[in-house]
Amino acid sequence: MNSGIQTILLKDDGQMPNNQNLPVIIYKAVFKEEPGEIEAAFNRHQWTGSWTGGVYDYHHYHSNTHEVLGVKAGQATVLIGGDQGEHLEISQGDVILLPAGTGHKKIESSPDFEVVGAYPGGTSPNMKKKDPSDRVQALEEIKNVPIPQMDPVYGEEGPMLAEWRG
């Protein structure tokens, strides 16, 4: 199960708070054969409020919820963690789990690039950008986001439970 799993722990870069305690989890090719199953899997594992679309081409993060993105079609390069963060090459079937506070933006993508996004318990995400006036409140909110009961891909088992609950 975990052979295609990568984790990246990002540091606060002064503009993007990221998450000091919870790593980003990348599930490579987990839905490669059945990209149409991404949304159903997320919903089945209580990651709801799902939507289909792209990834914004500017740095942003959510301080009130975690976010999962499953690549339904195409491929893209996304930057996580802010300007000095990590470039990720993602393609159909990949899933990225972003803990609350993780900065992310699309750098480039194929014309058919499409993701399914969802949130634990269907939480409605806020939208935060590089704004120093939001920072103190955002850091407090990030600390208080609960760890979900289920991994968005595997449910009651899976890397999120091992990595985020320790």
Side-chain angles (χ1 to χ4, degrees), residues 14-59:
Q15 299 203 19
M16 290 291 126
N18 297 309
N19 196 305
Q20 310 303 301
N21 301 313
L22 305 177
V24 172
I25 302 174
I26 301 114
Y27 307 69
K28 291 301 282 181
V30 70
F31 288 106
K32 187 161 185 65
E33 302 304 317
E34 297 180 322
E37 293 298 312
I38 295 171
E39 187 170 13
F42 291 169
N43 290 336
R44 189 169 54 249
H45 300 132
Q46 301 172 6
W47 287 70
T48 55
S50 51
W51 53 268
T52 302
V55 175
Y56 292 121
D57 61 358
Y58 55 86
H59 285 296

Side-chain angles (χ1 to χ4, degrees), residues 1-2 5 25 27 151 153-163:
M1 168 175 66
N2 292 342
I5 303 297
I25 302 174
Y27 307 69
D151 183 285
V153 173
Y154 295 107
E156 294 179 2
E157 299 179 355
M160 185 213 75
L161 300 175
E163 294 290 337

